Amino acid sequence: MFFYGNHDEETAVDGLQQWFEENPKLPNKIDRNLLWRFYKRSSKDVEETKKLVETFYSLRLKNPRLFINRDPCDVDTENMYKYLHIVPLSRLTPENYHVTCVQFHKLDSKLIHFTEDIKTFIMIQDCHFMEPDVKLDKTAAILSDGEVVIMDMRGVTMKQVTTLIISTMSVFVKYINQAYPNRLRAVHMINCPSYLDKVLAFLKPFMNRELYDMMKCHTKGLESLYECIPKDMLPEEYGGNAGGMAELSLAYRDYVVKMRPLLMDPDYWTVQTSSEGQC
């Protein structure tokens, strides 16, 4: 299902679609919802949208291990789900923000493979960006005005934090800052450990000031989180009515697997050079 704007907006996005398909520096195809997100993030400025799109694909093509060489049915993806739940929620906040919950359900440092896990997280996010945030009916849908991430830090140790790979983290933060298809609005860290200051000190060198200021730490229960995110839209583990994290994570994983053909289609993600395909 695709999001649709008004006549002028659709005309602008049609023009962007044509520009994209005729641009030799870009893949052959782009999902319409993803293109709309770029347009929306760029305040519906066509030229700014083009710059964002080119940055998005340039960064990905330079880092294929993180963005291109992926498969939702491979061992890397299977391994990440053994210890991590990633759940894009189905409702939006009153500010029209989309929320993704991340929970470490098995705390085993041996299961963490940082680069492969970041790759899987990006793949899940790609699936989210290629569908509307809310489907009102068969013809109407909503795109959010920003992304919010809730990170459940319960039981996380410094040993697990230090599995971070500097080169991967640097590319990931650059992607969030310069090429993310939606605006990141906040990262809420809940069930924070007593050594939270050490965690933040470890992460701070990888972030610019804007991203660092988005980190919101909730150290005394969840009441402060509810001031930002309505309680009832959250998973059961956090007092809400959205269902359990394990069930929701499994359901979204099934959706990601259904998206496998598109996620692995080179026409959507890679650029064929002039020498490729020649006999």
Side-chain angles (χ1 to χ4, degrees), residues 163-187:
T163 60
L164 179 151
I165 295 174
I166 293 175
S167 58
T168 298
M169 188 65 178
S170 297
V171 173
F172 181 62
V173 170
K174 185 176 182 180
Y175 168 66
I176 296 297
N177 286 335
Q178 300 181 15
Y180 203 51
N182 204 350
R183 292 189 180 278
L184 184 64
R185 300 293 185 175
V187 177

Side-chain angles (χ1 to χ4, degrees), residues 59-75:
L59 185 63
R60 287 179 172 236
L61 293 168
K62 291 176 182 176
N63 299 276
R65 184 182 177 190
L66 207 55
F67 295 101
I68 306 295
N69 302 332
R70 60 193 186 175
D71 183 345
C73 297
D74 67 8
V75 174

Side-chain angles (χ1 to χ4, degrees), residues 74 80 99 218:
D74 67 8
M80 191 215 69
V99 180
H218 303 272

Side-chain angles (χ1 to χ4, degrees), residues 81 85-87 103 235-237 241-254:
Y81 277 108
H85 291 321
I86 299 178
V87 176
Q103 178 195 52
E236 294 172 356
E237 288 84 345
N241 303 317
M245 283 291 291
E247 175 187 1
L248 293 169
S249 181
L250 179 60
Y252 204 81
R253 183 181 181 183
D254 289 342

Side-chain angles (χ1 to χ4, degrees), residues 158-214:
M158 278 302 297
K159 181 179 180 180
Q160 289 154 344
V161 173
T162 55
T163 60
L164 179 151
I165 295 174
I166 293 175
S167 58
T168 298
M169 188 65 178
S170 297
V171 173
F172 181 62
V173 170
K174 185 176 182 180
Y175 168 66
I176 296 297
N177 286 335
Q178 300 181 15
Y180 203 51
N182 204 350
R183 292 189 180 278
L184 184 64
R185 300 293 185 175
V187 177
H188 294 279
M189 303 171 71
I190 61 174
N191 296 319
C192 297
S194 57
Y195 51 84
L196 177 65
D197 56 336
K198 295 180 180 179
V199 174
L200 293 178
F202 185 81
L203 295 175
K204 189 173 182 178
F206 303 100
M207 305 179 188
N208 61 19
R209 182 57 184 266
E210 182 180 8
L211 181 57
Y212 187 78
D213 288 345
M214 291 182 190

Side-chain angles (χ1 to χ4, degrees), residues 70-129:
R70 60 193 186 175
D71 183 345
C73 297
D74 67 8
V75 174
D76 292 339
T77 304
E78 176 72 26
N79 180 78
M80 191 215 69
Y81 277 108
K82 289 180 180 178
Y83 80 92
L84 199 65
H85 291 321
I86 299 178
V87 176
L89 298 182
S90 59
R91 286 178 52 191
L92 302 179
T93 70
E95 297 82 10
N96 201 45
Y97 297 161
H98 177 265
V99 180
T100 295
C101 294
V102 180
Q103 178 195 52
F104 296 83
H105 64 85
K106 187 174 183 179
L107 296 167
D108 184 348
S109 299
K110 295 179 181 178
L111 291 175
I112 300 175
H113 301 101
F114 187 75
T115 297
E116 290 75 13
D117 299 338
I118 290 291
K119 175 184 69 174
T120 301
F121 176 80
I122 292 169
M123 179 172 62
I124 292 170
Q125 288 271 285
D126 283 350
C127 288
H128 159 59
F129 289 138

